[in-house]
Amino acid sequence: MNIETTIDLTKVPQHVALIMDGNGRWAKKQGQERLFGHSIGVEAIRGTLKAATRIGVKYLTFYAFSTENWSRPQAEVDGLMNLMVKTIASEVDELNTNGVRLISIGDIQGLPADCREELEAAIDKTKENDTINVILALNYSSKWEITQAMKKIAAKIENGTIDSEGITEELISNEMCLQNIPDPELLIRTSGEQRLSNFLLWQCAYTEFYFTDVLWPDFKENDLYQAVINYQHRERRFGKVSEQLI
Ligand code: FPP
């Protein structure tokens, strides 16, 4: 695809969030174990990152492991954690060379020690980079995030830092994981499912949703470009009427 002529590079979403769904179904179709689907899913992350960098996206958030995913069969959970450790370890230098900053959201204290350590080392190594930010949602759920934000705000009230009138949208946003990062303008979910699954509920208040039947391991550069083109044809009114936008 000639992206220079098909994508308006002045109107690329700054932040794209992705729910990578369909790895298990993809693997089954190939007669393979579910974990094989996840490992090919990593290739799709790589391709998406390359494509997003090319068009100037600044933040890419991937829903890699939800708090609900712990209830999957233990072998799949262990395999996913191993895949994360191996992938982060093997990719960190290339990410760093390409100016990628790695960030995580979620309760990383609840991850296995090797996964947390590898992740923290990669976050530290890439912290000065600013070509593109890759945000991995790991052991993340929106309800967990909102609950921990409420606890921090309650503590501020208890110790007298603020009173209830001090609770503003800005204050709440600042207690969320993605503080200082713009809300996603575009959220993509693969595999034909059309729901948020406890992902970025606060941050997606005005996000455009794009659902595709493509299974995550088959998601290629052009699929990202298609989603961005579709987004660029939408009118984002933020509660106003069309005429007010001119
Ligand atoms: C959803 O597909 C996918 C996941 C729960 C895991 C996604 C994780 C990866 C692609 C690997 C991440 C690695 C790094 C380094 C971030 P599914 O298993 O629910 O598919 P199904 O709905 O077809 O069963």
Side-chain angles (χ1 to χ4, degrees), residues 64-238:
F65 195 87
S66 74
T67 53
E68 287 85 11
N69 286 150
W70 295 111
S71 52
R72 292 194 172 203
Q74 194 58 44
E76 183 172 349
V77 171
D78 292 345
L80 267 168
M81 292 299 149
N82 276 336
L83 181 63
M84 279 188 267
V85 174
K86 279 197 195 138
T87 306
I88 296 168
S90 65
E91 299 288 325
V92 64
D93 286 337
E94 197 180 336
L95 293 175
N96 202 25
T97 311
N98 288 307
V100 179
R101 179 178 184 186
L102 195 68
I103 298 171
S104 77
I105 56 170
D107 186 5
I108 65 165
Q109 297 311 319
L111 293 172
D114 57 346
C115 188
R116 191 178 63 241
E117 282 157 18
E118 208 62 68
L119 183 67
E120 283 173 341
I123 289 171
D124 190 58
K125 190 164 195 174
T126 61
K127 65 177 188 277
E128 305 294 343
N129 297 337
D130 67 355
T131 303
I132 186 166
N133 298 273
V134 167
I135 300 153
L136 293 182
L138 284 169
N139 197 17
Y140 172 87
S141 78
S142 269
K143 288 190 177 179
W144 164 82
E145 178 184 32
I146 292 169
T147 305
Q148 58 92 36
M150 293 308 120
K151 285 183 182 164
K152 288 189 204 157
I153 291 169
K156 282 190 174 147
I157 293 180
E158 275 170 9
N159 69 24
T161 317
I162 56 165
D163 61 18
S164 61
E165 283 306 306
I167 302 176
T168 59
E169 288 186 15
E170 195 190 355
L171 183 100
I172 297 172
S173 290
N174 286 338
E175 299 298 351
M176 296 287 179
C177 297
L178 290 176
Q179 75 241 47
N180 303 325
I181 293 178
D183 288 343
E185 296 98 321
L186 174 62
L187 177 134
I188 300 170
R189 183 171 188 148
T190 56
S191 90
E193 308 290 350
Q194 303 194 357
R195 57 178 172 270
L196 266 181
S197 299
N198 217 348
F199 189 46
L200 303 180
L201 300 181
W202 174 267
Q203 296 86 349
C204 283
Y206 267 103
T207 299
E208 299 292 333
F209 293 165
Y210 179 84
F211 299 108
T212 169
D213 288 338
V214 173
L215 302 175
W216 178 251
D218 285 332
F219 192 85
K220 300 280 181 287
E221 282 88 333
N222 274 352
D223 296 301
L224 180 79
Y225 298 146
Q226 286 304 338
V228 169
I229 291 165
N230 183 290
Y231 161 87
Q232 291 188 332
H233 287 104
R234 298 187 192 183
E235 183 179 69
R236 305 192 75 211
R237 291 193 294 277
F238 300 101

